Amino acid sequence: MDKKVRDGRRGPRSFNRDGAVETAMRLFWRHGYEGVSVADLTTAIGIAPPSLYAAFGSKAGLFREALDRYALRPGALDGLAAARTLEEAVGGLLRAAVRAVSDPDGERGCMVSSGLIQCAAEHDDLARDLLARRRAMRDAIARSLARWIDPPEAGEMANYLATVLQGLAVQARDGADRAALEGIVARVMDGIGARPPRDGAAGPGPQGRKGARSSRPSGQD
C-alpha cells in the first residue's frame, strides 16, 4: 500500500512501501544484514533516513519485512507438494532448492540459510529469528518425510537434508552454476539410494526401509 511520508531533504513525496521492501530484500539477500547500511538502503529506495525510520521503525524492522517477503518466493519446500514417494520428496526438495538458489531473476544463494550465522552481539535477536526460520523449515521437511518413514528417522533425514540445502546455498553464492548444483543433488540421491536396507526392509532405496508407508496418500502438510 502506498503512503505519504516526508523526505527531510526534498519535502513530501510518494513512498511505495512494497517497492521499498523489495529493494531492501535484494540488498540484504546479496550482501547480508551487516553488509547493508542505512545509507545504502535510503539511497537505493530513494528516501531520507527519517522516512525509513518512520515507515519501518529501524533497519532491523525493514530486514524482518524483507525476510517475510523472501519467504513468499518459490523455495525448496515447494518440491515436496506433489511427491508420491520418499525418493520423489527428497529429489523434489533438492531440485527445487537448486532452482531457488540459482534463479537468474534472484540473487545467488539463500537469504535465510546463510543470513546472520555469524554477527555482532547487538544483532543476536535477528540471528535468533533466522535460526527459528531455519528450524521451522527443517521441521516442515520432517513432517513431510514422516508420510513414508517413522518420525525419528524423518527427523534425522530432515537434519541431513537441511545441511545439504545450506551447502547448496553456499555453493551457489560462491559461483557454482545450476549444472554443478544438480550434480551435487545427483550424488546425494545416489548416496541415499545406496544405503543398506534396515531390518525388515523390502530392498534398497529410500522407499524400502523399515517403516516405509508409500501406500499412504500424499498431500500438503
Side-chain angles (χ1 to χ4, degrees):
M1 176 184 298
D2 289 354
K3 60 182 293 186
K4 295 288 185 178
V5 298
R6 181 172 295 276
D7 187 315
R9 296 171 298 180
R10 302 174 185 172
R13 61 172 292 171
S14 178
F15 173 69
N16 185 309
R17 187 185 188 92
D18 189 65
V21 174
E22 174 72 20
T23 297
M25 180 195 73
R26 294 283 181 153
L27 286 174
F28 288 131
W29 187 358
R30 186 182 311 146
H31 301 294
Y33 181 76
E34 292 184 337
V36 178
S37 68
V38 171
D40 293 330
L41 291 166
T42 55
T43 298
I45 295 170
I47 57 175
S51 298
L52 185 146
Y53 292 120
F56 302 104
S58 64
K59 174 185 166 184
L62 177 52
F63 181 66
R64 286 193 169 95
E65 288 202 31
L67 282 172
D68 290 340
R69 185 179 188 88
Y70 179 79
L72 299 177
R73 294 180 59 87
L77 294 180
D78 297 336
L80 296 170
R84 296 166 298 175
T85 67
L86 180 60
E87 186 171 10
E88 286 184 8
V90 173
L93 175 83
L94 297 178
R95 285 187 287 271
V98 167
R99 291 192 295 271
V101 300
S102 62
D103 184 352
D105 292 329
E107 304 295 332
R108 303 291 292 184
C110 175
M111 187 175 171
V112 175
S113 290
S114 58
L116 283 172
I117 294 176
Q118 293 180 317
C119 65
E122 60 264 30
H123 303 144
D124 281 349
D125 57 335
L126 290 176
R128 286 192 295 271
D129 186 344
L130 279 165
L131 174 60
R133 290 170 189 259
R134 289 192 291 269
R135 286 177 172 170
M137 181 174 185
R138 181 195 61 198
D139 292 345
I141 294 170
R143 287 194 301 272
S144 183
L145 299 184
R147 288 180 284 176
W148 300 285
I149 53 179
D150 293 331
E153 186 177 3
E156 292 175 2
M157 185 172 284
N159 284 333
Y160 167 69
L161 292 172
T163 302
V164 174
L165 293 177
Q166 285 186 292
L168 290 170
V170 171
Q171 289 293 314
R173 177 62 65 90
D174 286 347
D177 62 18
R178 183 168 294 187
L181 297 174
E182 289 173 347
I184 294 170
V185 169
R187 290 287 187 179
V188 171
M189 296 300 296
D190 287 345
I192 292 174
R195 289 175 57 186
R198 298 194 174 188
D199 293 342
Q207 57 270 59
R209 292 195 297 276
K210 183 179 179 180
R213 299 189 294 274
S214 58
S215 61
R216 181 174 171 178
S218 62
Q220 296 284 353
D221 293 335

